[in-house]
Amino acid sequence: PSQLPDDSLLHDIPAWLRSLRLHKYTDNLKDLIWEDLVQLSEEQLVDRGVSALGARRKMLKVFEVVREAK
């Protein structure tokens, strides 16, 4: 997850989550645009139903990579 996702994936949240093997959270996050998604905090992910610590850590790491690159 340390690689920047393809720009087309950023605009397709379900495909992006699938590429990260986190597709079970698609329903929790599909209403967001990627610019808002990568700004979510750990607490906000919990509030959106991402209860698994490993999944949250993976997402937060990827979000950081995207924020730094953009």
Side-chain angles (χ1 to χ4, degrees):
S2 61
Q3 275 186 305
L4 183 65
D6 183 302
D7 274 354
S8 63
L9 277 182
L10 290 178
H11 297 284
D12 185 353
I13 301 297
W16 186 20
L17 292 173
R18 239 184 341 273
S19 76
L20 296 169
R21 301 181 131 197
L22 296 170
H23 51 279
K24 75 183 259 182
Y25 299 108
T26 298
D27 285 342
N28 307 62
L29 304 170
K30 67 183 177 187
D31 61 321
L32 297 171
I33 58 173
W34 74 266
E35 290 95 339
D36 294 336
L37 180 61
V38 299
Q39 299 300 323
L40 291 179
S41 68
E42 185 166 3
E43 289 175 354
Q44 290 169 315
L45 287 172
V46 170
D47 290 345
R48 286 186 160 269
V50 183
S51 55
L53 178 61
R56 285 196 313 273
R57 285 186 177 166
K58 187 174 188 177
M59 285 183 193
L60 291 170
K61 187 179 281 190
V62 171
F63 296 169
E64 182 180 351
V65 169
V66 172
R67 284 193 312 268
E68 288 176 1
K70 298 291 181 180

